[in-house]
Amino acid sequence: MSRTFRLKTPFSERGLEKLNIGDKILLSGVIFTVRDAAHKLIKKQIDEGKKTPFNLKGSVIFYAGPTPSKPGNPIGSIGPTTSYRMDRYAPFFYSLGVKATIGKGSRSKEVILAQKKYKAVYLAAVGGVAALLARHVKKAKVIAYPELGTEAIRKLWVEDFPCIVANDIHGNDIYKKR
Amino acid sequence: MRKISVNKIREKVAMLCKKANYKLPDDVKSAIKEAYNKEKSELGKDVLSQIIKNYEIAENSKVAICQDTGIAIFFIKIGEDVKIVDGDIYDAVNEGVRNGYLEGYLRASIVKDPLYERENTLDNTPAIIHLEIVSGKNLEITLMPKGAGSENMSKMTILTPSASEEDIENFVVKTVKEGGANACPPLIVGVGIGGNLESCTLLSKKALLRKIGTQNPNSKYSQLEKKILKKINKLGIGPAGFGGIYTALAVYIETSPCHISNLPICVNLNCHAARRASLII
């Protein structure tokens, strides 16, 4: 039987040590959507010595770009995109204090090493269940790069958002386990 | 000649965009339910139950099944007795996509320039449009909104005529082994065998239009479909890649004659949100 943990964001290092791959997580609090284009822009801002659009320390990044929200709904359908595309950036973001990324699919060796080094985790949500996951998003706000459309950075307030631990801080990988 | 106005095409295309993105085809739903009943892994079963809840919410609330509402791929069969009037069919389809995606709160996922600017067109146009002339006086439009997660893990190669059945099996299974977990399993695996560089890829895509439960009419190929499916489901990737039996729901092979010097093969993966919708005007 898998263990289930209810976790609140932002994350500190301590709580993450107990997590093992395959553990079920119900996540509550603030998370930020950052996809391909926004990764590039944040990196550029940091390289130029500018402030980041949100505080990276202890933050949780969700690789996702929602559909437009229907009137009355806080957000449209939203689910994880494939994470390996962000592998080039992930070690850099972890080094700056990001404590978890949420996406789908396996990560590179470099990313797993960075997670071990910076005591961060990678959580996998189920791809293609975006109508269901949207129900766990209570509020959403575009906080940077609105010109990117779906790829803008959104601050999401989530409640019991379901995901599982795909890479823990001990260097384990659920995609290699089978 | 039977006249069909582009106005009608535009309207029907917009409707198809919404329908395809909100409602999963019944055969796909049944296959997922069956997988849920038979899956042995705890996490795998949990994933399948999320998938079932999700398509129910999407259908009932008329919202997108997946946030990746895809690039809109059209397969249009025009009867030779049909005359398209009042404008251009390509424009009509693209306008229909624009309207359908905007009205339906579907995601715009197309960038204009692939390499440099990569600026989003913001209305999900242009669509990919495959036109085919057939006999008769009908216009049949099929839409497959296809996400990039599964498309990015698809592969094509050109083997030599010495390739064996086993080489084909290995290429398909290896493609799933390497990329399957990223492509939102349980997958539907479309395989094109034969043709040439561009037609083979189209065969593999057309294979994905088949209903789950159908098989290749040639018994050798239908046997091969079953054999490959069995091998794929021994990989252990399972739903969402979390481990389990159901890495794929189906394998479909479509074939075409090819050159004496080669044996093209393409594997086009589709995710469990295998969306498609058709109508006839």
Side-chain angles (χ1 to χ4, degrees), chain B residues 123-172:
Chain B
D123 59 10
N124 219 48
T125 67
I128 306 271
I129 303 169
H130 301 291
L131 287 183
E132 197 182 324
I133 309 278
V134 297
S135 61
K137 52 182 182 183
N138 288 334
L139 181 70
E140 188 186 326
I141 307 176
T142 297
L143 163 64
M144 183 197 299
K146 191 156 188 308
S150 57
E151 195 76 354
N152 292 357
M153 297 298 125
S154 301
K155 279 208 170 79
M156 199 262 172
T157 193
I158 300 185
L159 303 172
T160 62
S162 67
S164 64
E165 182 189 82
E166 207 186 336
D167 292 327
I168 297 285
E169 289 168 28
N170 290 344
F171 182 72
V172 181

Side-chain angles (χ1 to χ4, degrees), chain B residues 10-209:
Chain B
R10 188 189 308 122
E11 199 181 294
K12 294 286 185 189
V13 163
M15 194 203 81
L16 268 188
C17 291
K18 290 180 246 181
K19 186 181 168 197
N21 277 296
Y22 298 159
K23 188 186 176 302
L24 208 56
D26 290 336
D27 57 296
V28 180
K29 289 198 277 192
S30 310
I32 291 169
K33 273 192 187 143
E34 192 187 327
Y36 172 76
N37 288 331
K38 292 185 181 165
E39 180 59 62
K40 297 267 186 279
S41 117
E42 184 205 337
L43 285 176
K45 222 176 165 71
D46 195 47
V47 168
L48 290 162
S49 104
Q50 286 190 41
I51 293 171
I52 291 168
K53 272 185 215 151
N54 182 71
Y55 70 62
E56 285 170 355
I57 293 173
E59 187 172 335
N60 295 333
S61 314
K62 293 195 164 33
V63 294
I65 295 165
C66 179
Q67 79 287 343
D68 188 351
T69 49
I71 189 163
I73 310 164
F74 286 90
F75 298 90
I76 300 178
K77 290 181 181 167
I78 306 182
E80 54 194 3
D81 296 327
V82 169
K83 183 170 170 53
I84 307 288
V85 294
D86 303 327
D88 179 271
I89 186 166
Y90 288 97
D91 290 344
V93 171
N94 279 315
E95 284 160 17
V97 167
R98 180 175 300 126
N99 296 343
Y101 272 68
L102 292 176
E103 292 161 10
Y105 298 93
L106 304 173
R107 194 176 84 176
S109 310
I110 306 302
V111 292
K112 196 171 178 188
D113 179 86
L115 179 59
Y116 296 109
E117 290 81 16
R118 289 194 68 87
E119 193 184 337
N120 198 310
T121 61
L122 299 178
D123 59 10
N124 219 48
T125 67
I128 306 271
I129 303 169
H130 301 291
L131 287 183
E132 197 182 324
I133 309 278
V134 297
S135 61
K137 52 182 182 183
N138 288 334
L139 181 70
E140 188 186 326
I141 307 176
T142 297
L143 163 64
M144 183 197 299
K146 191 156 188 308
S150 57
E151 195 76 354
N152 292 357
M153 297 298 125
S154 301
K155 279 208 170 79
M156 199 262 172
T157 193
I158 300 185
L159 303 172
T160 62
S162 67
S164 64
E165 182 189 82
E166 207 186 336
D167 292 327
I168 297 285
E169 289 168 28
N170 290 344
F171 182 72
V172 181
V173 174
K174 190 167 172 255
T175 302
V176 174
K177 191 177 178 185
E178 286 171 359
N182 290 346
C184 289
L187 308 169
I188 293 168
V189 181
V191 182
I193 306 176
N196 68 353
L197 185 85
E198 84 276 8
S199 74
C200 184
T201 53
L202 188 55
L203 276 178
S204 68
K205 183 129 289 146
K206 283 186 175 168
L208 296 177
L209 290 173

Side-chain angles (χ1 to χ4, degrees), chain A residues 138-172:
Chain A
K138 299 301 160 188
K139 199 176 140 190
K141 192 183 166 197
V142 172
I143 58 158
Y145 320 131
E147 68 280 6
L148 294 181
T150 184
E151 292 206 77
I153 296 183
R154 285 173 174 80
K155 185 174 182 179
L156 306 181
W157 285 261
V158 298
E159 216 174 87
D160 290 337
F161 185 92
C163 38
I164 70 146
V165 179
N167 303 340
D168 56 31
I169 68 164
H170 315 292
N172 298 309

Side-chain angles (χ1 to χ4, degrees), chain A residues 2-5 18-25 163-166 174, chain B residues 43:
Chain A
S2 289
R3 305 183 298 172
T4 302
F5 293 96
K18 64 180 180 221
L19 301 180
N20 290 325
I21 54 168
D23 287 343
K24 293 182 193 171
I25 304 293
C163 38
I164 70 146
V165 179
I174 196 165
Chain B
L43 285 176

